[in-house]
Amino acid sequence: MKKFLTLVLALALVLTMTGAFAALAEEKTIHPMRFVQPGTLPTDYETGIAAVNEKLLADGYDIEVEIIRIPWGEYDTKLNMMLATGEEFELLHVMQDVKNMSALAAMGAIVPVDQYLDKYPNLVAMFTETEWLGSLYNGEHYAVPCSWKSFDNLMSYMNVRTDVMKAVGYEEFPSESVEDVIDLMKKSQDYILEETGIKAYNWFHQNQDTAHWLHRTYDTYPFYVENSLGIVLARQDGTIDSFYESEEFKQDCETYYEMYQAGLVNPDVLNIDHSSMYDSAQLGAFLPSQTFDPYTAVTIMNNTDLQDVVVDWVEMCPEKPEMVMTFVQNLNAISATAEDPESGLKFLDWLYASKENHDLFHYGIEGVHYTAIGDNKIEQMKDESGSALYVMDTWMTGYLPYIRFAADSPDSQIDYMTYKADNYVVSPIAGFIFDATNVQTELSNLQTEIIASIYPIKIGMVSYEENIDQAIANLKAAGLDAYLEEYRAQFAAYLEANPWVLEAAA
């Protein structure tokens, strides 16, 4: 009966809002604001978005928002097709670790926003100078930053089930010794197998990721390895080295070879869908890894009969500085095919104007889709599958001071999301965006060759010593040197135009 009444109320709200929207729309020209994002729409999307559009009109904005979601499994293919055919939409979510802003700008898929920003001073003021630096390409801002979490701890942390850690004899995470961490993994694997019946492994969020957690233990730290291809090793003095030819990569591979031979890395890691690893993790089966965040502890408790599960984020050598490697990771850009290029900026201006607007778009209608708990927590209504009835992902459009956390979020989750480091360094390439236009052939060849030649060495499947020479020869044949030469040339020009960068990195 409760679900039935909720559905009736939602339907009534949609009908009321539709009528109100139509009446207001008659008074002015309404421009579409079609927003392309990855994922799928929530069950009660129509009710929530109708409320958003009603408030937009009431607040004097002449736009109508429509969220267009592309399922993750089809994202690259379908987005490329939309861009190739010139399909009309106004706003595109940009993920720097999936299809970065420079690639989209270079192909003409998005347009600069500078000519419009003077009209939206409140929107500009929402983000820091460094966050806006993250949206620069060829001297122009090409997107609006999304400030949904702190990036001071984006690299090098690990997630650990500290309840298991203590059960196998470690009162504290052995942050000074890689060998002790490997010993902890071995003991945790046995414990978790007996506890859950699932063999747990160490793994990356994505196979392309670099073993940043190890880098803090090296004498040459701080340095940063660009994560999308793992080709570029940026040192704090501005030197750009070839990571796969470096001593640091050799050390990574030797550690992972030891781990792989000990059965701590899934033997089929290069082929399995990484979502299946998350499925196991949500049942409690994971070893210390560069993966998710502390809210996983809550997910585990909701999905299993396990008791007293604790997931914490830790890092090696915590006395060493954090590495700030990006000013912004997610952005929202104006599509080159927009009917009205300003529609997207109008929406973002409205979205960030108040916590009320932010709540409405991201969480829906209070009392129908969620119950607010204090200033920063929330209880969301669920559909029959257990998913939120209405939600828009804050990692795509959220603003950290406004974001609400699940009512059962542990303090460690909020600390992780809002963490600001006292001791940190900024990578010289944090604000640099590489334009691969001149090396597209090399880039395509390298992407294929890295998967074929480097991945098996990187994850420890095969010996570094026996395979690295041939792997490097393959990379050079694919265009490694030309790619690095172009990268270095562009980075040198960036440093010349921004002399403050190396001072900030010092």
Side-chain angles (χ1 to χ4, degrees):
M1 180 59 72
K2 183 178 180 181
K3 288 183 179 179
F4 175 75
L5 291 174
T6 299
L7 289 171
V8 169
L9 176 58
L11 179 60
L13 283 167
V14 170
L15 294 173
T16 301
M17 291 170 189
T18 302
F21 182 87
L24 286 167
E26 289 178 1
E27 301 174 7
K28 59 174 70 178
T29 300
I30 303 300
H31 298 278
M33 206 302 290
R34 295 157 290 194
F35 192 173
V36 174
Q37 303 175 339
T40 55
L41 292 171
T43 303
D44 202 25
Y45 162 78
E46 295 295 343
T47 303
I49 209 65
V52 168
N53 284 321
E54 181 187 35
K55 191 168 190 305
L56 277 162
L57 278 173
D59 291 346
Y61 289 82
D62 59 346
I63 57 174
E64 180 179 7
V65 175
E66 176 190 359
I67 306 300
I68 300 170
R69 288 282 176 92
I70 305 175
W72 279 106
E74 308 167 22
Y75 185 75
D76 283 339
T77 302
K78 190 167 181 180
L79 178 60
N80 288 338
M81 184 175 295
M82 291 174 71
L83 298 177
T85 58
E87 184 170 334
E88 289 188 358
F89 59 92
E90 281 63 47
L91 208 57
L92 174 65
H93 183 66
V94 180
M95 297 167 282
Q96 296 286 56
D97 58 343
V98 176
K99 196 176 190 71
N100 71 31
M101 189 180 72
S102 63
L104 291 163
M107 65 190 297
I110 58 177
V111 298
V113 299
D114 288 321
Q115 61 182 306
Y116 308 112
L117 289 180
D118 285 347
K119 299 181 183 179
Y120 304 96
N122 293 332
L123 176 62
V124 173
M126 300 301 288
F127 304 100
T128 66
E129 182 179 350
T130 52
E131 286 169 336
W132 279 110
L133 283 172
S135 72
L136 278 174
Y137 171 74
N138 281 350
E140 296 183 279
H141 295 94
Y142 267 80
V144 176
C146 176
S147 181
W148 64 280
K149 65 161 292 203
S150 166
F151 290 102
D152 287 14
N153 62 335
L154 187 65
M155 283 293 137
S156 78
Y157 73 90
M158 301 177 79
N159 297 109
V160 177
R161 272 192 62 184
T162 47
D163 60 310
V164 173
M165 180 185 79
K166 292 178 180 180
V168 300
Y170 283 87
E171 283 302 311
E172 296 182 351
F173 181 71
S175 59
E176 303 296 327
S177 168
V178 173
E179 284 306 310
D180 284 348
V181 172
I182 292 175
D183 179 66
L184 169 60
M185 289 181 187
K186 292 176 180 177
K187 292 174 178 175
S188 297
Q189 189 179 62
D190 292 339
Y191 183 94
I192 291 170
L193 179 61
E194 183 175 348
E195 176 192 50
T196 67
I198 304 171
K199 191 169 185 178
Y201 296 104
N202 170 278
W203 48 284
F204 296 117
H205 171 57
Q206 299 181 75
N207 284 334
Q208 70 190 45
D209 292 351
T210 304
H212 293 281
W213 70 276
L214 286 171
H215 295 174
R216 298 180 62 84
T217 68
Y218 300 163
D219 292 340
T220 52
Y221 182 86
F223 60 87
Y224 170 62
V225 178
E226 191 277 325
N227 213 47
S228 64
L229 288 176
I231 290 174
V232 170
L233 187 161
R235 305 205 185 269
Q236 289 304 104
D237 65 359
T239 301
I240 300 298
D241 286 339
S242 170
F243 177 56
Y244 296 130
E245 298 176 80
S246 72
E247 183 66 24
E248 288 87 353
F249 181 62
K250 178 181 179 180
Q251 291 178 266
D252 287 1
C253 295
E254 289 174 345
T255 296
Y256 267 81
Y257 187 72
E258 179 183 351
M259 289 166 55
Y260 190 94
Q261 302 311 308
L264 301 175
V265 178
N266 191 310
D268 198 31
V269 66
L270 297 183
N271 299 310
I272 60 175
D273 182 348
H274 86 278
S275 65
S276 67
M277 294 186 283
Y278 278 93
D279 291 340
S280 295
Q282 290 179 0
L283 297 175
F286 65 91
L287 301 182
S289 299
Q290 265 180 212
T291 46
F292 26 73
D293 61 57
Y295 189 71
T296 303
V298 176
T299 306
I300 294 168
M301 292 297 291
N302 290 339
N303 282 281
T304 75
D305 294 327
L306 300 178
Q307 300 297 315
D308 301 321
V309 173
V310 181
V311 180
D312 285 318
W313 58 281
V314 298
E315 60 187 358
M316 303 300 292
C317 305
E319 75 284 356
K320 292 186 178 181
E322 304 287 1
M323 171 58 71
V324 177
M325 43 64 66
T326 185
F327 297 136
V328 63
Q329 191 174 37
N330 298 81
L331 310 100
N332 292 298
I334 296 174
S335 168
T337 63
E339 176 190 292
D340 173 15
E342 285 192 63
S343 291
L345 293 176
K346 290 175 182 177
F347 168 67
L348 296 172
D349 184 60
W350 172 86
L351 178 64
Y352 300 132
S354 70
K355 186 176 177 70
E356 178 187 6
N357 294 347
H358 188 276
D359 278 351
L360 180 60
F361 176 72
H362 289 103
Y363 311 120
I365 303 165
E366 187 168 9
V368 175
H369 299 125
Y370 75 94
T371 299
I373 302 173
D375 292 332
N376 70 342
K377 289 200 173 182
I378 191 171
E379 187 78 51
Q380 293 178 297
M381 314 301 183
K382 303 296 178 66
D383 61 20
E384 292 184 356
S385 70
S387 300
L389 198 59
Y390 174 91
V391 65
M392 289 292 157
D393 303 274
T394 52
W395 64 264
M396 288 193 277
T397 45
Y399 184 62
L400 187 56
Y402 294 161
I403 286 176
R404 294 183 182 274
F405 300 92
D408 51 5
S409 293
D411 290 342
S412 57
Q413 163 74 359
I414 299 174
D415 291 344
Y416 163 78
M417 294 294 289
T418 59
Y419 172 77
K420 288 294 182 183
D422 294 323
N423 182 22
Y424 66 91
V425 295
V426 179
S427 171
I429 66 171
F432 173 66
I433 300 177
F434 178 59
D435 179 2
T437 302
N438 295 334
V439 285
Q440 279 296 333
T441 300
E442 290 86 350
L443 175 60
S444 178
N445 292 340
L446 285 166
Q447 287 173 326
T448 301
E449 195 56 55
I450 286 168
I451 293 172
S453 297
I454 293 294
Y455 278 14
I457 305 173
K458 182 181 82 167
I459 58 93
M461 184 178 291
V462 298
S463 161
Y464 173 90
E465 294 291 348
E466 295 175 6
N467 293 277
I468 190 62
D469 289 344
Q470 185 59 55
I472 295 301
N474 293 345
L475 292 186
K476 288 183 179 294
L480 176 63
D481 292 338
Y483 180 92
L484 285 168
E485 182 181 356
E486 179 68 18
Y487 193 102
R488 288 174 178 134
Q490 290 186 31
F491 185 60
Y494 170 76
L495 291 179
E496 185 176 357
N498 301 279
W500 57 269
V501 169
L502 290 183
E503 294 179 12

